[in-house]
Amino acid sequence: MASRKHVTSREYKVMLLAQRFDGDEAAMRAQVGAFWKEVGQRLSELNIPVEGEFSEVKARRLIRFFDTEEHQLNADQYIVREREDVETGEREVTLKFRHPDRYIAADRQMDPADAEDYKTKFEEDVKPPFTSVYSFSTTQPLKSGAVLQQVRDVADLFPGLNDDLDELPVAQPLVLVSDFVGHEIVLEGASILLGKKDIASECAVVVWYDQGAQDTTPVVAEFSFKYGDELEDYRGTIARDAYAVLGMLQSSLTDWVDPNPITKTAFVYR
């Protein structure tokens, strides 16, 4: 029997009202600062402190999703995502499988064909009000000039896809989902102290712009915080604090949190 796959990260994601972050980058970052200040004030009432500011730009990149015209991969709970660094042009491709049942999510062959530089993760994503989705993914670099034109190009990179899908449409062309290219800015540097204040939960604000629109109005804004352990050793005090943070975001930050949220992936597949 295969060993139980550990959930090495628990990430809580809350969609924000994108229009609150309208304007140039300086205006957007000022609004992120205002949001974070209010988060800190609300969490101090729960005796959950925060640290740092969103002063670090972790990434500026272009985001593309690929699927068949009929979205057959997504229908089978897979997503294929490409990220391109805006400054260096370096690209990476991720194959991700998501499912609400952790054991179905874990029952995948996600190893790359031959990449030496890759990262595989098994995570739990938590969304409001409290819904868990388990995510098994592998990310590897895309060689310069490599193009994802057919499903077989993805299967060549991730050969387990052939085993996990009985009727993989290998000859089907891949298209850019919704003809959407997102310009993503990821801000980090802030954290929430969970579990008797000794676990620094890393926070991020992700803002997406429509690369084709060339304007300063974000189409997506997301706040997240996460903590992890390679052996899935999560104390109850950590989970209770994280649960309280998620509840506070929904009940006390209604001026910032989207009351009708859709995830980043769902936005692209809209």
Side-chain angles (χ1 to χ4, degrees), residues 9-15 35-36 39 43 48-50 54 123-130 187-188 190-195 199-206 222-228 238-250:
S9 174
R10 303 191 77 206
E11 185 167 12
Y12 298 69
K13 299 180 177 181
V14 176
M15 306 310 297
F35 163 75
W36 183 237
V39 170
L43 289 182
I48 300 175
V50 303
F54 286 100
E123 306 168 287
E124 180 185 5
D125 289 339
V126 181
K127 299 176 292 184
F130 190 93
L187 300 177
E188 291 187 345
S191 59
I192 300 172
L193 300 185
L194 304 175
I199 297 296
S201 174
E202 298 176 9
C203 299
V205 171
V206 178
E222 176 193 82
F223 170 73
S224 66
F225 63 98
K226 65 181 178 181
Y227 55 91
I238 302 171
R240 280 192 288 273
D241 278 355
Y243 187 86
V245 173
L246 185 67
M248 181 282 295
L249 290 166
Q250 297 172 74

Side-chain angles (χ1 to χ4, degrees), residues 6 26 34 39-40 44-46 66 92 101 118 121 126 133-134 144 154 156 174 191 203 214 216 236 252 258:
H6 292 304
V39 170
S44 68
E45 300 169 6
L46 302 177
F66 293 96
E92 64 181 23
D101 189 313
Y118 69 94
K121 298 188 292 185
V126 181
V133 176
Y134 294 90
S144 178
V154 178
D156 286 345
L174 288 177
S191 59
C203 299
Q214 298 293 332
T216 60
S252 301
D258 192 337

Side-chain angles (χ1 to χ4, degrees), residues 74-259:
N74 193 244
D76 285 314
Q77 314 294 334
Y78 283 95
I79 65 168
V80 177
R81 182 190 65 214
E82 177 192 299
R83 286 171 168 166
E84 178 184 349
D85 187 286
V86 171
E87 296 178 358
T88 67
E90 294 179 348
R91 296 183 300 147
E92 64 181 23
V93 60
T94 298
L95 179 68
K96 180 177 291 189
F97 180 82
R98 285 176 170 163
H99 203 279
D101 189 313
R102 69 175 288 170
Y103 299 100
I104 295 175
D107 188 28
R108 303 287 120 186
Q109 299 294 327
M110 299 297 286
D111 293 339
D114 55 14
E116 296 179 1
D117 180 19
Y118 69 94
K119 181 182 293 185
T120 295
K121 298 188 292 185
F122 188 65
E123 306 168 287
E124 180 185 5
D125 289 339
V126 181
K127 299 176 292 184
F130 190 93
T131 304
S132 289
V133 176
Y134 294 90
S135 169
F136 196 4
S137 66
T138 295
T139 299
Q140 60 176 301
L142 263 182
K143 295 179 181 178
S144 178
V147 180
L148 301 177
Q149 294 182 310
Q150 293 183 326
V151 174
R152 74 172 77 251
D153 296 327
V154 178
D156 286 345
L157 294 169
F158 304 97
L161 199 58
N162 281 304
D163 300 326
D164 292 331
L165 292 179
D166 294 333
E167 298 180 5
L168 187 68
V170 290
Q172 284 282 339
L174 288 177
V175 299
L176 181 65
V177 177
S178 297
D179 287 325
F180 175 77
V181 179
H183 182 188
E184 177 182 77
I185 298 178
V186 182
L187 300 177
E188 291 187 345
S191 59
I192 300 172
L193 300 185
L194 304 175
K196 298 183 179 178
K197 308 177 181 59
D198 60 351
I199 297 296
S201 174
E202 298 176 9
C203 299
V205 171
V206 178
V207 180
W208 277 10
Y209 302 87
D210 186 338
Q211 180 71 4
Q214 298 293 332
D215 62 22
T216 60
T217 304
V219 293
V220 170
E222 176 193 82
F223 170 73
S224 66
F225 63 98
K226 65 181 178 181
Y227 55 91
D229 186 88
E230 291 298 317
L231 297 178
E232 201 176 333
D233 184 14
Y234 301 124
R235 299 197 310 270
T237 53
I238 302 171
R240 280 192 288 273
D241 278 355
Y243 187 86
V245 173
L246 185 67
M248 181 282 295
L249 290 166
Q250 297 172 74
S251 63
S252 301
L253 289 184
T254 53
D255 288 345
W256 294 97
V257 174
D258 192 337

